Amino acid sequence: MSQAFSEYEIWWVTGAQLLYGGDAVVAVDGHSKEMVDGLNASGNIPVKIVYKGTANSSKEVEAVMKAANNDNKCIGIITWMHTFSPAKMWIHGLQQLQKPLLHFHTQYNEEIPWNTMDMDFMNLNQSAHGDREFGHICARLRIRRKVVVGYWKDATAQKHIAVWARVAAAWADAQDMLIIRFGDQMNNVAVTDGDKVSAEQVLGYHVDYCPVSELMEHFKAVKDADVDALFATYMKEYDHVAELENKNSEAGQKVWNAAKAELAIRSILKAKGAKGFTTNFDDLGTDNINDPKFVGFDQIPGLASQRLMAEGYGFGAEGDWKSAALYRTVWFMTQGLPMGASFLEDYTLNFNGRESAILQSHMLEVCPLIAAEKKPKLEVHFLGIGIRKSQTARLVFTSKKGDGVTATVVDMGNRFRLIVNDVKCIEPKPLPKLPVASALWIPQPNFEVGAGAWILAGGTHHSCFSYDVTPEYWEDYAEIAGIEMVHINKDTTIENFKIQLRNNEVYYMLNKALM
Ligand code: MN
């Protein structure tokens, strides 16, 4: 089990009733324990499942749902109807449940025991119809949930539960997520802005502004010895030219400044309990860089953003707080998985027939978790954008090849829309004159349709990419959050995609009106 999710639990509640007598409930209880133990022992579920007993009446259902709501460790409930569990008894409890729900349609026994099956067996093993009764009341009450169908010992079924468990954990993480904005949005940019009140209401996280002058107080308080130590860490972790090792050289000084910036940002994020942050290249403190007593960042703290992303902090450039929160969620739910995630920007296009692709990068801030190289290169180059044009440190690398999924959340005015695109990372060519980290991908089903659909949906130029996330993660996330999701994939056609966008417009308008 991943250490990452050790603070969390998923509760398992088995539906039954007392019609078949006490012996039946005892057997249901025994089978349920065995199944929960089996799932925990499988090694496939990253969050511990805790068996909470059978629910045999409306009062019992309501009690366990209320307890789940009030238990911070509990990130969701798995239900399974071993016997026929008349679903009116689930109404009050389901109406109160505020945690994610997974309905597992499975059965204790794998195959029908043809020769021995009698009516006692049938009174006990009724999930075939019991789970349909439960499904009906969920549908009738419009309860958002994931339905997983499969034998409980089967790894495929377990992996569907595992995806949901990771998403439910990330959802729990987002409910007390604080995103700090150092500076405002980049002026005039529409797509990275949005309604922060709605974001907290719908997606859970809270977004605060922090004056850069407050960040500078942390910057001033950083001890030189700590900067020296981090500087030494950089030299160990990254390839670099010899000049950088001398912190008094021109380039070495820039690396030293970058280390100091990283310590300052980590310090203020820790002090505030923040899980993510945004920066703005036009707001780097109020001091004048030409003043000999200048205190402050000499350029946007790109290396810090790269390394803090790798550590799990959410990041969005140019004040993009929605991307900062979404990246934190992507990082959180993929903990322990091997391939990595990053904030990325559609940088420039490469028209090349069927291999037409989009170079993904940013001025500085790409997360090294996606690097193909074991040791990214630490380099210092001029960056001529923003309030302070200066030489500045950054990690340079290219991404791994392979399939991944990228996602963004946009504010449509009356709702949030999650846009998801399957992408294929291909081999890029070297960029000797553009020293930035990058990925090169073909959006699926191809560049023309993939980019076209993304643009029709109003998707950002910023997105949160992961090799480890599959579309199922985003489906579960959108279901838990109750937001719109459009998924651009190998089957997408522009014609059908436009129909989906139009239908969704009506659906969400009506849905709003009904609430
Ligand atoms: Mn950008």
Side-chain angles (χ1 to χ4, degrees):
M1 187 175 299
S2 168
Q3 194 59 34
F5 303 109
S6 57
E7 68 196 278
Y8 294 134
E9 294 176 352
I10 290 164
W11 289 8
W12 174 293
V13 179
T14 300
Q17 62 167 324
L18 300 174
L19 179 71
Y20 312 110
D23 287 353
V25 173
V26 170
V28 167
D29 203 47
H31 290 169
S32 301
K33 274 189 195 125
E34 190 184 332
M35 291 163 74
V36 169
D37 289 346
L39 287 169
N40 283 327
S42 72
N44 284 332
I45 317 284
V47 181
K48 185 183 177 197
I49 303 176
V50 177
Y51 178 51
K52 285 286 167 179
T54 60
N56 301 296
S57 67
S58 184
K59 289 269 176 289
E60 288 177 19
V61 171
E62 197 174 340
V64 74
M65 297 301 187
K66 281 181 173 170
N69 287 343
N70 289 324
D71 190 311
N72 285 336
K73 293 193 297 300
C74 174
I75 58 166
I77 285 196
I78 296 177
T79 52
W80 167 60
M81 307 300 120
H82 194 343
T83 69
F84 194 83
S85 180
K88 287 182 190 172
M89 77 180 217
W90 289 85
I91 291 173
H92 292 292
L94 285 172
Q95 281 177 327
Q96 303 214 28
L97 181 64
Q98 288 158 10
K99 298 281 170 91
L101 175 66
L102 184 148
H103 176 201
F104 192 16
H105 182 46
T106 189
Q107 184 167 275
Y108 172 70
N109 55 300
E110 186 168 17
E111 293 185 10
I112 294 174
W114 299 99
N115 293 324
T116 58
M117 185 163 65
D118 57 11
M119 201 44 82
D120 284 345
F121 179 93
M122 274 318 303
N123 282 340
L124 192 59
N125 296 279
Q126 303 195 341
S127 38
H129 47 285
D131 276 328
R132 280 167 168 74
E133 167 74 354
F134 181 76
H136 170 75
I137 205 64
C138 289
R140 171 78 186 259
L141 297 176
R142 277 73 172 173
I143 300 290
R144 296 195 305 271
R145 79 281 195 200
K146 181 173 193 173
V147 177
V148 173
V149 179
Y151 189 53
W152 57 279
K153 287 182 182 170
D154 179 41
T156 306
Q158 291 170 353
K159 280 171 186 167
H160 289 305
I161 296 173
V163 168
W164 174 84
R166 285 178 172 278
V167 176
W171 181 254
D173 176 69
Q175 302 315 299
D176 72 344
M177 185 194 292
L178 169 64
I179 302 293
I180 295 289
R181 303 155 69 226
F182 299 117
D184 204 338
Q185 312 288 125
M186 182 175 165
N187 284 339
N188 268 315
V189 177
V191 75
T192 58
D193 216 334
D195 183 341
K196 296 192 283 291
V197 177
S198 290
E200 185 153 354
Q201 180 191 348
V202 176
L203 303 169
Y205 58 79
H206 179 83
V207 184
D208 266 348
Y209 165 71
C210 175
V212 180
S213 56
E214 194 182 332
L215 170 56
M216 286 306 129
E217 292 308 311
H218 287 256
F219 187 74
K220 287 178 206 163
V222 172
K223 294 190 177 71
D224 284 0
D226 293 337
V227 183
D228 288 342
L230 186 57
F231 184 92
T233 302
Y234 290 177
M235 295 304 141
K236 259 188 279 173
E237 286 187 12
Y238 309 119
D239 278 342
H240 55 273
V241 295
E243 187 203 354
L244 294 196
E245 287 178 24
N246 176 5
K247 70 175 182 182
N248 296 317
S249 70
E250 199 183 330
Q253 184 64 47
K254 291 295 177 184
V255 174
W256 198 88
N257 290 351
K260 187 168 175 177
E262 178 184 328
L263 291 169
I265 296 175
R266 186 181 289 102
S267 162
I268 195 170
L269 293 176
K270 282 212 154 72
K272 288 180 177 292
K275 296 177 179 176
F277 66 104
T278 68
T279 55
N280 184 324
F281 51 73
D282 275 332
D283 199 350
L284 301 174
T286 51
D287 293 333
N288 179 355
I289 196 170
N290 298 315
D291 182 337
K293 286 189 226 138
F294 160 75
V295 175
F297 295 162
D298 46 20
Q299 198 17 308
I300 40 170
L303 178 60
S305 300
Q306 290 184 294
R307 285 175 47 86
L308 288 164
M309 261 192 274
E311 213 171 291
Y313 285 101
F315 173 76
E318 293 100 41
D320 185 354
W321 49 270
K322 294 198 299 304
S323 288
L326 197 66
Y327 173 77
R328 162 72 182 196
T329 289
V330 172
W331 179 87
F332 198 89
M333 64 193 184
T334 56
Q335 284 176 90
L337 301 179
M339 292 286 279
S342 183
F343 164 87
L344 284 166
E345 174 172 289
D346 296 297
Y347 220 45
T348 197
L349 308 178
N350 188 49
F351 286 102
N352 179 26
R354 290 167 74 175
E355 293 284 288
S356 289
I358 312 170
L359 185 73
Q360 299 291 321
S361 187
H362 209 261
M363 289 181 291
L364 302 168
E365 306 93 339
V366 180
C367 176
L369 292 176
I370 65 168
E373 300 91 332
K374 277 222 169 63
K375 269 190 160 188
K377 289 194 284 289
L378 177 62
E379 298 184 10
V380 173
H381 301 280
F382 186 73
L383 180 62
I385 194 167
I387 197 163
R388 293 204 187 107
K389 300 160 186 28
S390 166
Q391 298 280 332
T392 193
R394 80 283 306 271
L395 296 175
V396 180
F397 54 85
T398 52
S399 81
K400 302 172 188 88
K401 283 185 284 182
D403 294 339
V405 171
T406 205
T408 187
V409 170
V410 293
D411 187 338
M412 295 299 291
N414 62 343
R415 67 185 186 276
F416 291 108
R417 169 182 283 164
L418 172 68
I419 306 164
V420 177
N421 194 180
D422 300 358
V423 300
K424 183 180 280 296
C425 293
I426 59 172
E427 182 83 39
K429 290 185 181 163
L431 294 163
K433 294 289 177 69
L434 186 70
V436 291
S438 66
L440 181 67
W441 75 43
I442 305 174
Q444 300 302 297
N446 54 54
F447 171 73
E448 184 188 347
V449 176
W454 186 276
I455 287 169
L456 281 167
T460 28
H461 55 290
H462 288 165
S463 69
C464 297
F465 165 77
S466 166
Y467 296 98
D468 301 303
V469 158
T470 60
E472 186 181 357
Y473 283 75
W474 289 124
E475 199 183 320
D476 289 357
Y477 177 84
E479 185 75 19
I480 290 170
I483 61 170
E484 178 188 10
M485 169 178 160
V486 290
H487 178 204
I488 305 161
N489 59 30
K490 65 177 174 43
D491 300 320
T492 297
T493 64
I494 293 295
E495 185 183 5
N496 287 335
F497 193 73
K498 285 167 88 168
I499 292 168
Q500 187 189 358
L501 292 180
R502 289 193 198 107
N503 288 346
N504 286 0
E505 200 71 62
V506 176
Y507 169 83
Y508 283 96
M509 220 180 287
L510 285 174
N511 210 28
K512 209 90 181 173
L514 290 170
M515 278 196 293

